[in-house]
Amino acid sequence: MAGLLCKKRRKAVSDLQEEGKNAINAPMNPSTMDIHPEDTLLEENEERTMIDPNSKEDPKFKELIKVLIDWINDVLVEERIIVKQLEEDLYDGQVLQKLLEKLADRKLNVAEVTQSEIGQKQKLQTVLEAVHDLLRPHGWTIKWNVDSIHGKNLISILHLLVALAMHFRAPIRLPEHASVQVVVVRKREGLLQTAHVTEELTTTTEMMMGRFERDAFDTLFDHAPDKLSVVKKSLITFVNKHLNKLNLEVTELETQFADGVYLVLLMGLLEDYFVPLHNFYLTPESFDQKVHNVSFAFELMQDGGLKKPKARPEDVVNLDLKSTLRVLYNLFTKYKNIE
């Protein structure tokens, strides 16, 4: 498995290098598309990039924007901040500041409100430096800067938000391999020329290249799969010790916890309280209902003093055994001595 992972990593790096080479070598052709008048005001050899209007209608691109906007609004609900359009609402650093403070649980030393362009860029610089301090140690490639964010460059803003969502393990499901066609406009010898480049916004490359911290379960799966059955057996014994009180029994961890019902009931048993049935779906039918249940169980865990699970609710629902084991092992660690 380790060898296969290495091959995948090498292929991912190779793909990225090839994509970069193609972007560099993309031929510049005389402009054949409609370009906004502002984008034609270029000096000789000056270059400007923009999203191909047709590309904005791509379902994955639209889904990515919607998922990120919903996520930001969910994180900032207590701040009474509502984001409607990423470029217009995030460019001045105000919302980004609140988002980072909430995610990282820290306060940034910046002016609360500033109207001047200089003040906005200074705030943005402070916020982005804090973001970079978090991301760089984990190997993230920084694809944005103060000028691109303040200039309302949607691609830069999306790269930044995707990185934050993945770093903080946001409980959202990003569409895989969402991409957008970028039009590069350059003025040469008085004529506008264009090139089209594909910009990938989400990919599994980040995970393949080890951007997430590894833990004991990564080691267990990669190097000691023979011990996996022992861990599963111990966890099954633990959960059944409590679920049996409700005449419930678990034999398959990844499938029987995937809809979140057993997780919610287990938390009630471990903390000795009744969970009102209107708080979760006892017989969930849709993916969203299952995610709701698992997310609710995670909230109960945090209320019980546990740290926010590293696993995403979506991963548990998608039958990811490693994620399910992480969640159950945290419960086992805290509650193993409870009768």
Side-chain angles (χ1 to χ4, degrees):
M1 183 172 178
L4 179 60
L5 188 58
C6 288
K7 288 181 181 178
K8 287 183 178 179
R9 289 178 178 174
R10 285 196 293 270
K11 185 180 186 304
V13 173
S14 176
D15 290 345
L16 289 174
Q17 291 173 338
E18 185 67 22
E19 181 181 332
K21 184 174 71 174
N22 292 340
I24 293 172
N25 296 329
M28 300 296 291
N29 301 315
S31 177
T32 57
M33 64 172 286
D34 294 331
I35 300 175
H36 196 281
E38 293 180 359
D39 295 318
T40 65
L41 302 177
L42 304 177
E43 300 293 333
E44 184 67 18
N45 290 324
E46 187 180 354
E47 187 175 288
R48 186 166 298 170
T49 61
M50 65 203 76
I51 298 176
D52 186 325
N54 294 326
S55 190
K56 290 183 178 180
E57 297 304 312
D58 181 89
K60 284 191 175 183
F61 180 72
K62 295 171 75 171
E63 180 188 356
L64 175 64
I65 291 177
K66 182 182 185 304
V67 168
L68 290 173
I69 288 177
D70 290 345
W71 170 57
I72 294 172
N73 288 334
D74 184 55
V75 172
L76 298 180
V77 64
E78 294 180 359
E79 301 289 335
R80 297 183 178 178
I81 292 175
I82 299 178
V83 170
K84 295 182 179 180
Q85 191 172 358
L86 294 177
E87 312 98 292
E88 297 298 329
D89 295 334
L90 271 66
Y91 81 96
D92 62 359
Q94 182 75 12
V95 174
L96 282 175
Q97 173 204 343
K98 298 295 184 183
L99 180 64
L100 183 61
E101 288 180 338
K102 199 74 173 178
L103 293 172
D105 193 23
R106 56 174 290 195
K107 188 73 175 174
L108 296 180
N109 185 24
V110 293
E112 279 300 312
V113 179
T114 178
Q115 298 296 328
S116 71
E117 180 177 337
I118 294 178
Q120 289 174 352
K121 286 190 173 182
Q122 287 176 340
K123 167 181 278 192
L124 199 52
Q125 179 69 38
T126 300
V127 174
L128 293 184
E129 285 178 355
V131 170
H132 299 166
D133 289 342
L134 286 172
L135 299 182
R136 279 202 178 105
H138 298 280
W140 283 97
T141 300
I142 306 302
K143 297 183 178 181
W144 56 85
N145 55 42
V146 171
D147 289 334
S148 66
I149 300 296
H150 194 269
K152 303 180 182 180
N153 185 305
L154 180 57
I155 296 175
S156 294
I157 293 172
L158 289 173
H159 278 308
L160 170 60
L161 293 176
V162 168
L164 287 174
M166 294 185 72
H167 177 78
F168 287 102
R169 297 181 180 273
I172 58 178
R173 190 179 189 183
L174 296 175
E176 289 189 8
H177 299 294
S179 62
V180 64
Q181 288 293 318
V182 179
V183 181
V184 183
V185 182
R186 180 186 298 166
K187 195 169 189 178
R188 179 172 291 175
E189 297 180 357
L191 297 175
L192 289 179
Q193 297 179 328
T194 63
H196 291 253
V197 179
T198 300
E199 183 78 17
E200 192 164 12
L201 299 168
T202 63
T203 176
T204 55
T205 301
E206 284 81 6
M207 298 187 70
M208 286 190 292
M209 296 182 70
R211 296 275 164 80
F212 290 147
E213 294 181 13
R214 293 177 60 80
D215 61 13
F217 283 100
D218 292 307
T219 303
L220 184 69
F221 273 71
D222 291 347
H223 304 294
D226 55 309
K227 296 182 180 179
L228 184 59
S229 60
V230 178
V231 174
K232 290 174 66 175
K233 184 177 180 180
S234 297
L235 291 177
I236 287 175
T237 300
F238 164 70
V239 297
N240 280 335
K241 172 183 174 183
H242 300 282
L243 290 175
N244 285 167
K245 299 171 185 176
L246 298 177
N247 293 321
L248 301 174
E249 185 172 2
V250 170
T251 56
E252 292 291 336
L253 295 176
E254 59 266 54
T255 57
Q256 290 181 266
F257 282 98
D259 63 7
V261 175
Y262 279 15
L263 273 179
V264 173
L265 296 176
L266 181 60
M267 281 308 303
L269 291 166
L270 294 172
E271 286 289 338
D272 195 24
Y273 56 68
F274 174 75
V275 182
L277 298 181
H278 65 266
N279 284 336
F280 68 104
Y281 298 93
L282 192 58
T283 56
E285 297 178 354
S286 68
F287 180 87
D288 289 340
Q289 289 178 351
K290 294 175 184 179
V291 170
H292 168 86
N293 282 356
V294 178
S295 299
F296 177 56
F298 283 7
E299 292 176 11
L300 297 180
M301 293 174 196
Q302 290 177 264
D303 290 343
L306 288 168
K307 291 184 179 180
K308 183 178 180 179
K310 287 185 177 182
R312 300 186 316 149
E314 290 84 356
D315 295 331
V316 175
V317 175
N318 283 326
L319 308 182
D320 182 73
L321 177 58
K322 193 186 297 184
S323 297
T324 304
L325 290 180
R326 284 192 177 104
V327 173
L328 296 176
Y329 184 75
N330 285 340
L331 296 179
F332 171 78
T333 301
K334 179 175 181 180
Y335 299 104
K336 59 184 177 182
N337 294 322
I338 291 181
E339 295 298 328

